[in-house]
């Protein structure tokens, strides 16, 4: 009879610990882009690379974001650039940045180079803020590719 009592007591204790909400992720910071669309002067190296060789730059940014590096090559097949749209939406979703698919489409079509430069700056700044706020031993492997980009362009 003793095992039955123990089992009943342990099941009663477990029902008291109910999860009331999902854990919050520290990396997500709601709000806006950390830099404006036309603030290219904040990263001159990337600006020069994008002006000289935009396809290489977009492939490097996509690779740094963790997607297939060849994804931006799809942008030349349509009037609405699918890779630019996907990358902006992905970065917005990942970091909780306000916006919509319509704004991503507008920036991708009308301000293509500026949009990619803004994505690059956002990835670098978020990686730097994550590296500064997290302990050195925790989840460093996930952000190694992005933190190594600080202070340099994506080449």
């Amino acid at each position: 009879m003793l095992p039955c009592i123990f089992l009943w007591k342990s099941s009663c204790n477990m029902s008291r610990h109910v999860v009331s909400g999902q854990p919050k992720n520290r990396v997500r910071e709601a709000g806006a882009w950390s830099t404006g669309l036309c603030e290219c002067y904040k990263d001159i190296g990337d600006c020069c690379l994008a002006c000289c060789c935009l396809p290489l730059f977009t492939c490097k940014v996509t690779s740094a974001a963790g997607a297939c590096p060849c994804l931006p090559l799809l942008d030349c097949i349509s009037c609405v650039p699918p890779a630019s749209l996907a990358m902006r939406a992905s970065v917005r979703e990942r970091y909780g940045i306000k916006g919509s698919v319509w704004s991503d489409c507008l920036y991708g079509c009308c301000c293509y180079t500026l949009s990619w430069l803004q994505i690059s700056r956002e990835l670098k700044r978020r990686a730097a803020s994550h590296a500064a706020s997290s302990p050195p031993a925790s989840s460093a492997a996930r952000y190694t590719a992005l933190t190594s980009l600080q202070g340099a362009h994506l080449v």
Side-chain angles (χ1 to χ4, degrees):
M1 182 102 177
L2 184 60
C4 292
I5 293 172
F6 176 73
L7 185 60
W8 179 75
K9 281 192 166 238
S10 65
S11 67
C12 290
N13 289 339
M14 288 169 52
S15 66
R16 292 181 190 163
H17 303 289
V18 177
V19 177
S20 60
Q22 293 294 324
K24 302 292 183 211
N25 190 350
R26 289 186 313 167
V27 177
R28 288 184 184 252
E29 299 170 7
W33 293 87
S34 62
T35 60
L37 189 66
C38 296
E39 294 181 6
C40 299
Y41 59 89
K42 293 189 175 183
D43 195 346
I44 297 296
D46 276 357
C47 187
C48 291
L49 178 62
C51 288
C52 293
C53 189
L54 185 60
L56 175 66
F57 177 73
T58 57
C59 290
K60 292 288 184 180
V61 172
T62 306
S63 177
C68 176
C70 298
L71 185 65
L73 301 177
L74 295 174
D75 282 349
C76 62
I77 64 170
S78 133
C79 62
V80 175
S84 177
L85 180 65
M87 286 303 300
R88 281 190 72 85
S90 172
V91 169
R92 271 193 319 96
E93 179 66 26
R94 182 185 304 172
Y95 299 121
I97 298 171
K98 294 177 184 173
S100 67
V101 174
W102 299 112
S103 65
D104 295 339
C105 187
L106 177 71
Y107 293 139
C109 290
C110 300
C111 310
Y112 186 79
T113 305
L114 294 174
S115 176
W116 278 102
L117 286 163
Q118 186 181 34
I119 293 168
S120 173
R121 289 190 305 272
E122 193 68 32
L123 290 172
K124 286 181 180 182
R125 289 174 186 266
R126 297 296 176 128
S129 68
H130 177 75
S133 69
S134 68
S138 71
S139 70
R142 261 190 293 168
Y143 295 95
T144 303
L146 292 178
T147 56
S148 66
L149 299 174
Q150 296 307 310
H153 57 287
L154 296 173
V155 173

